[in-house]
Amino acid sequence: MNYDKPTIEPTTLWDFPRQNYGKIKHGDNKYPGVTPAFVIWNLIQRYTKEGDLVVDPMCGSGTTIDVCKEEKRRVLGFDIVPYREDIKEADARKLPLENEIADFIFIDSPYSDNIKYNNHKDNIGNISCTKKEFYIELDKVAREAFRILKPNKYLAWLIGDHWRKKTGFIPVGFKIYSILEQYFYPIDIVAVARHNQTSNTPFWRDKAIKYNFYLRGFKYLIIMKKEVTE
Ligand SMILES: C[S@@+](CC[C@H](N)C(=O)[O-])C[C@H]1O[C@@H](n2cnc3c(N)ncnc32)[C@H](O)[C@@H]1O
């Protein structure tokens, strides 16, 4: 397979060996929790056309911006703490955008409080997925995405589950799916293989077998449509 040029994935199992493709950076692979650029490339091929407006309300290091610009889509990226100048500062729960403006929305939200993105008081990544509040706040993000998305257009949300010794398994992906289902019509779910996660080491692999738990091997990419019938 030629990973320098992405190809459209035909199945619901996406397995990319690296974060980036090609010679130019798409986002910053040093950014914690950066999205594989291949994921965004695949989504915009399927759900947008040239000139469409893509919005990423939790843009992190700007992967969505870089992929979209290269593919001639218009793009707006927001984050509670902008990592670079072309990312606008905003809360994903209250975006400075009018209703029904976006042709496509991509969100790779925090999965819990496992990654320290920043200390901003409104960073949802500082709330544990063991707390109800985490889902209440992500519900607000989903509702805001519904407001800004054009009718009959698509949203994709990347999310992973959680396992901790203290709490056991928390099906964060299923919980986010049921939030999204309140607003959107389900199109599909893709399993995106996880590589290079910090627990992918011989130490953690041995522990997982010895203590009979699983390391996270995939994330859910939940694809939804804002279905509006006349
Ligand atoms: C998984 S990262 C996104 C990674 C990004 N797609 C990339 O490729 O770099 C999640 C992001 O959500 C942001 N975030 C957390 N709470 C937010 C909020 N209330 N509004 C906007 N962004 C928020 C964090 O600052 C972090 O950058």
Side-chain angles (χ1 to χ4, degrees), residues 31 35 59-61 63 79-80 91-92 108 117-118 122-124:
Y31 191 80
T35 309
C59 193
S61 67
T63 312
D79 202 282
I80 202 74
D91 191 320
D108 182 356
Y117 296 108
N118 54 69
D122 296 322
N123 172 13
I124 296 170

Side-chain angles (χ1 to χ4, degrees), residues 107-120:
I107 302 180
D108 182 356
S109 71
Y111 309 161
S112 187
D113 59 353
N114 53 325
I115 294 179
K116 285 283 156 235
Y117 296 108
N118 54 69
N119 287 325
H120 196 289

Side-chain angles (χ1 to χ4, degrees), residues 5 7 18 21 27 36-37 85 112 141 159 169 202 206 213 222 225 229:
K5 199 173 185 313
T7 48
R18 295 187 272 113
Y21 58 80
E85 273 180 7
S112 187
V141 175
I159 190 84
F169 174 63
D206 288 350
F213 65 88
I222 303 169
K225 185 177 181 186
T229 45

Side-chain angles (χ1 to χ4, degrees), residues 89-107:
E89 183 179 339
D91 191 320
R93 294 163 288 194
K94 206 174 183 334
L95 296 169
L97 295 175
E98 60 195 67
N99 294 347
E100 302 191 343
I101 196 178
D103 292 289
F104 182 72
I105 298 175
F106 177 74
I107 302 180

